[in-house]
Amino acid sequence: MNIDVFTLFPRWFDWFLEQRHVRNALERGHELETVDIRATTPLTAGQVDDTPYGGGAGMVIRVDVVESALRARYGADPLELRRHRRVIALAPGGRQFDETLASELANEKEITLLCGRYEGFDERVNEYLASDVVSIGPYVLTGGELPAMVMCDAVLRKLPGALGHEDSALEESFSAALEGAPEYPHYTRPADWHGYLVPDVLTSGDHGKVREWRLEQSRRRMGQA
Ligand code: ADE
C-alpha cells in the first residue's frame, strides 16, 4: 500500500515514521511519505492560504495550492486523480472514521491524505479534489496531522506482518469475530492482587467456557447482554 500525506508540517510525522509497526510495514514494501504542500505553491513567498470570502476569522487553504501540490506529485490532472486513488481530506465535519473505514482503507492500494490547517480547505478541495472527507471525531484539532496519524495507525496495523503477532488483530475490539463489539477484558498475573481476583473461568482451563465468557463480556460492553 502507498500512503501519501500532504501537509504543511511534514516534521510532525518524523516520530510516527520511527514507530515499530510503521517501520514493519515499510520494511514489507508499504510506503508512507509526506508531501510538503508549501513546496509547490504557485503563489509568492510560500503563501498557501487566504482570507475567507464573506469575511470572518481565520485563513483558508487555497484550492489552487492543493491542486498544484497534487499535480506536482502525481503528474496527472488532479481533478481526475480521485477516480483511481482514494484522496481523503481531513476535516472535523467529515464522515466519522471507524473500524469499518479502517478495514476498507487497508484494502486500498493507494491513499492520499490531505491535512487541513487553520479554518481548513477551500470547500472546492473537498468537493472536486477529494474522494472522501473524513473526521476522527466531533472535536476540532489544530490540523489534520494528528487525524492522519490516527488513521495511518489504524490502517497500517491491519496489514499482514505489521503487528508481529497476527492473532491479536483477529479477535479485537469491533472485529467480526466479536460481532462488532468492544473487546472483552484481559487479565494477567498476579491472579490475586490485594484481594482483587481474576475471574475463575479464566483460570479454569475450560476453553469453551472461556470463549463463552469473553463473548458475553464483549456483548455486555456493547450494551447488548
Ligand atoms: N482537523 C481538525 N479537526 C479534525 C478532526 N476532528 N478530524 C479530522 N480532521 C480534523
Side-chain angles (χ1 to χ4, degrees):
M1 140 177 288
N2 160 272
I3 306 178
D4 286 342
V5 183
F6 284 63
T7 170
L8 290 168
F9 298 92
R11 298 294 310 274
W12 277 53
F13 293 84
D14 290 355
W15 166 84
F16 184 68
L17 285 163
E18 279 171 16
Q19 301 314 302
R20 169 61 65 80
H21 65 296
V22 179
R23 289 214 323 256
N24 282 348
L26 299 187
E27 278 163 17
R28 280 176 168 73
H30 300 292
E31 292 165 318
L32 173 54
E33 287 176 21
T34 56
V35 177
D36 185 351
I37 296 174
R38 202 182 301 276
T40 50
T41 179
L43 309 174
T44 55
Q47 184 188 348
V48 291
D49 55 3
D50 226 320
T51 51
Y53 280 121
M59 300 292 275
V60 178
I61 301 182
R62 289 174 51 137
V63 62
D64 51 352
V65 168
V66 178
E67 175 193 15
S68 172
L70 291 170
R71 193 186 306 280
R73 178 72 174 176
Y74 303 113
D77 179 357
L79 285 158
E80 299 291 319
L81 187 64
R82 63 182 180 177
R83 286 180 188 224
H84 58 88
R85 186 177 180 104
R86 229 32 205 265
V87 181
I88 301 173
L90 296 160
R95 165 183 175 186
Q96 181 131 353
F97 186 63
D98 60 12
E99 202 60 24
T100 306
L101 183 51
S103 298
E104 195 182 310
L105 295 179
N107 288 315
E108 293 281 347
K109 276 203 173 61
E110 300 184 319
I111 299 176
T112 294
L113 299 176
L114 303 175
C115 303
R117 274 272 153 176
Y118 320 118
E119 292 306 304
F121 294 112
D122 181 302
E123 188 58 22
R124 290 166 291 186
V125 170
N126 303 335
E127 260 186 65
Y128 303 112
L129 295 176
S131 56
D132 312 69
V133 183
V134 171
S135 163
I136 63 159
Y139 39 81
V140 183
L141 299 165
T142 51
E145 284 74 16
L146 289 173
M149 282 183 244
V150 166
M151 288 174 63
C152 287
D153 188 278
V155 170
L156 290 178
R157 67 190 294 284
K158 289 186 180 296
L159 302 177
L163 294 183
H165 42 96
E166 297 308 291
D167 291 349
S168 50
L170 280 181
E171 200 174 275
E172 65 178 6
S173 291
F174 318 117
S175 61
L178 292 181
E179 303 167 348
E183 200 173 3
Y184 44 78
H186 296 282
Y187 295 87
T188 186
R189 282 178 279 276
D192 181 344
W193 177 69
H194 301 301
Y196 299 109
L197 303 178
V198 169
D200 283 344
V201 61
L202 297 179
T203 50
S204 68
D206 184 335
H207 298 303
K209 282 239 165 61
V210 169
R211 206 169 306 124
E212 239 171 64
W213 180 86
R214 285 179 165 167
L215 198 52
E216 187 207 311
Q217 292 291 315
S218 184
R219 284 181 182 146
R220 191 171 289 179
R221 286 185 164 181
M222 182 89 145
Q224 289 176 344

